[in-house]
Amino acid sequence: MALFQIDRRTPLAPAEAWRRLTDWERHGEGVPLTRIVVRTAPPTGPGTLFVARTGPGRLGFEDPMEVTRWQPPVPGTPGRCRLEKRGRAITGWAEIEVGAAGPGAYVVWREELRVRGVPRALDPLIAVAGRLVFGRAMRMLLRTGPA
């Protein structure tokens, strides 16, 4: 499995960074050719299901995920969310951690994923691609100022 981590700082308060990073539908805005559909009613919590559909038409694939841990940040305690990836093409997990850092917040995105049919020897390339794609999504979600 390809394991990668992305660390960021933001001037946003931890609660606002958390809100933005867990607005699942907006993740599609930062990942090319991707649309997210939440399949369960709000609010988000353990058991929330959503699907990322990536790619054009029949060449695309679905990446279904389930929230298995949901602990929003509170003063003195970082927030943590864990997603389990349960697709035919992609399996693994992702974890998002958001905590206070000075006047803003720190964010850590950890992910371990396996792309079926891709040799494990290519895991380092998958990790690089994951850091690029999800790093871009994080920048977009945490952007401050005029869009």
Side-chain angles (χ1 to χ4, degrees):
M1 291 196 146
L3 179 63
F4 62 90
Q5 178 171 311
I6 305 164
D7 299 285
R8 294 278 188 273
R9 297 282 179 148
T10 177
L12 298 170
E16 178 62 13
W18 175 268
R19 185 192 68 75
R20 291 179 184 206
L21 288 168
T22 59
D23 183 350
W24 309 122
E25 292 94 344
R26 287 210 54 228
H27 281 243
E29 296 172 23
V31 180
L33 299 172
T34 298
R35 186 172 75 99
I36 311 285
V37 175
V38 177
R39 299 226 167 127
T40 50
T44 295
T48 295
L49 301 170
F50 59 96
V51 176
R53 170 90 181 145
T54 301
R58 292 176 25 186
L59 296 176
F61 63 92
E62 290 191 345
D63 182 10
M65 291 170 252
E66 179 178 356
V67 175
T68 59
R69 181 176 186 185
W70 182 259
Q71 177 189 338
V74 295
T77 305
R80 291 189 175 88
C81 176
R82 182 175 173 99
L83 308 170
E84 296 289 335
K85 296 173 161 286
R86 300 198 168 131
R88 290 192 307 243
I90 297 178
T91 58
W93 53 265
E95 293 178 340
I96 301 168
E97 180 178 331
V98 178
Y106 74 87
V107 176
V108 179
W109 182 303
R110 294 176 195 91
E111 187 152 346
E112 184 176 87
L113 57 90
R114 176 88 180 115
V115 180
R116 293 184 197 227
V118 174
R120 292 188 188 264
L122 296 179
D123 282 353
L125 293 175
I126 292 170
V128 167
R131 275 192 297 278
L132 290 172
V133 167
F134 293 108
R136 179 178 188 262
M138 283 177 65
R139 274 191 308 280
M140 186 275 307
L141 291 165
L142 296 172
R143 182 179 356 202
T144 60

